[in-house]
Amino acid sequence: MVRLKRIIGILLFCVLLCVLLTGCNSDNEKNYQSIEDFSNSQIGVLTGSSHESLARTTFPDADLVFFNSTTDMLISLEQGKIDCFLYEAPSLQAMLWDGADVGRVDEPLTQIANGFAFPQNEEIRHLQEEFNTFLQQAKTDGSIDQLKQKWLSNTEPTIHPDYKSLPGENGTIRLVVCSGSKPLIYRFEDQYTGFEIDLLTLFGQQYGYNFIIDDVSFNAVIAGIISGKYDMAAAALNITPEREESIDFSLPYSEFDIVLIIKNNIHPVIGCEVYVAPR
C-alpha cells in the first residue's frame, strides 16, 4: 500500500512537472528576444525626445510611458513597471559603468546623427560656422575618434575636461545643457563632463571662448534655443527634420544606434527562466 502511494506520488509529480514545463510557452508569458516581441509592451520614452515618434511608428500597439529623466526610466525598468525603453546605445555602456543590471536587444531600431543646436539667428551664425569648421578639423585630425575611444569604452574615464579654466578672450558662450545623458553629457561632483563637454572644451581652447552653463530639463533645451535665451545647446540631441524647422544644428559629430534597453535577464537561460511582462 505504501509502495503504491509512492508510485502515485511520483506519477503526480511528473504530471505537475510536465504542466510547468509546457506552461513556459503559454500565451500569458512572453519570451522577449527581438524587437517584434515588444509590440504590445510598456515602453519608456524620454519626454520631448525624438524617440517618441520612432516608438509610435515601430510599436503602434504598445503603451508608451513618458519620463523626465533617464534615471527614472532605469528605475522603472528595474522595478518591472516598464518592459524596455528607447535610448542611444552609448548610454547602455554608461549604465553598465554604474552597475545597472541591463542589456539591449541586439537589433537596433535605427541609427541617428547627433549634433549641437543653435538659434536660427543671424547674429549667432558666426558661432555655428566656427563650430562646424572646428568639427571638420576634429574629424580630420582624429580628435573626435580619440574622444570616442575615451568616452565609449568599457571603463569610465577618470580625467575630466577642464572647461572652467578657459580664459574666454574672444567671448562667453551661453550654453544650455541637459546633463542626464551619460556618457555624452553628465555631472561628476561639481562639474559637467562627458564626450560633448570634452569636445566643447577643445573648441573653447582653439577659438578663445568660455562657457556660462545652464542645466535644464530636456524639454526646456529646445525652447531655450528657439527663444534665443542661449547661444548653443549640448544635450545629446538627435538631428531630426522636425527640429530643423525651428533650430539650427551643427554638423553631426557622430551617429549612434537607437536601441531597446532591457533587463539583463530578459532572454531565456534554462527551462522556464524567461521574463514575464507585468500587465
Side-chain angles (χ1 to χ4, degrees):
M1 187 67 177
V2 174
R3 185 178 180 183
L4 179 60
K5 288 182 178 180
R6 286 179 180 174
I7 294 173
I8 292 173
I10 291 171
L11 291 174
L12 289 174
F13 174 77
C14 291
V15 170
L16 179 60
L17 182 61
C18 290
V19 171
L20 290 173
L21 289 174
T22 55
C24 290
N25 297 318
S26 68
D27 292 337
N28 295 325
E29 296 181 347
K30 192 141 187 181
N31 179 1
Y32 289 134
Q33 299 186 72
S34 67
I35 289 174
E36 290 75 16
D37 293 329
F38 289 87
S39 298
N40 297 294
S41 300
Q42 292 179 305
I43 300 176
V45 179
L46 187 65
T47 301
S49 71
S50 63
H51 303 162
E52 178 180 351
S53 59
L54 178 61
R56 292 193 187 282
T57 302
T58 310
F59 307 103
D61 298 322
D63 295 327
L64 301 188
V65 184
F66 292 90
F67 296 88
N68 291 323
S69 74
T70 309
T71 301
D72 290 341
M73 283 198 297
L74 185 57
I75 292 172
S76 291
L77 178 68
E78 291 174 339
Q79 293 177 345
K81 294 179 180 179
I82 57 175
D83 304 316
C84 63
F85 63 86
L86 278 69
Y87 224 75
E88 285 85 0
S91 294
L92 172 61
Q93 188 62 58
M95 294 171 197
L96 297 177
W97 290 348
D98 294 334
D101 190 24
V102 293
R104 58 167 283 187
V105 174
D106 292 335
E107 181 185 357
L109 295 172
T110 190
Q111 190 175 75
I112 197 162
N114 273 27
F116 297 83
F118 300 85
Q120 292 182 341
N121 184 336
E122 287 301 322
E123 294 181 2
I124 208 71
R125 188 76 63 191
H126 71 282
L127 178 61
Q128 181 183 358
E129 292 172 352
E130 286 178 339
F131 192 72
N132 281 339
T133 300
F134 161 75
L135 280 180
Q136 288 177 323
Q137 182 60 39
K139 290 179 179 180
T140 301
D141 65 22
S143 297
I144 286 183
D145 288 336
Q146 289 175 8
L147 290 182
K148 286 181 179 179
Q149 197 170 33
K150 174 181 177 179
W151 291 103
L152 307 182
S153 67
N154 293 329
T155 305
E156 183 172 4
T158 56
I159 299 176
H160 299 277
D162 188 19
Y163 64 90
K164 290 183 178 181
S165 66
L166 294 171
E169 65 270 20
N170 291 330
T172 298
I173 295 173
R174 299 171 299 168
L175 178 68
V176 61
V177 307
C178 178
S179 62
S181 295
K182 190 175 183 177
L184 300 181
I185 181 167
Y186 65 104
R187 285 191 68 87
F188 176 79
E189 296 179 351
D190 64 340
Q191 64 184 0
Y192 296 98
T193 190
F195 178 95
E196 291 191 345
I197 294 295
D198 228 343
L199 192 60
L200 287 170
T201 301
L202 290 178
F203 172 63
Q205 290 170 348
Q206 293 184 29
Y207 282 79
Y209 292 112
N210 59 14
F211 301 94
I212 294 176
I213 301 178
D214 195 2
D215 194 358
V216 302
S217 67
F218 190 85
N219 266 341
V221 170
I222 302 296
I225 288 293
I226 291 174
S227 70
K229 182 179 179 180
Y230 305 104
D231 302 319
M232 190 175 181
L237 288 168
N238 300 149
I239 301 173
T240 66
E242 294 78 13
R243 288 175 176 168
E244 288 179 312
E245 293 178 1
S246 55
I247 62 176
D248 287 339
F249 279 98
S250 70
L251 295 173
Y253 62 75
S254 189
E255 291 188 350
F256 298 121
D257 287 342
I258 306 298
V259 299
L260 289 180
I261 306 295
I262 56 178
K263 282 187 175 182
N264 207 24
N265 65 343
I266 207 164
H267 292 288
V269 182
I270 298 173
C272 289
E273 291 189 29
V274 296
Y275 177 71
V276 181
R279 299 299 295 171

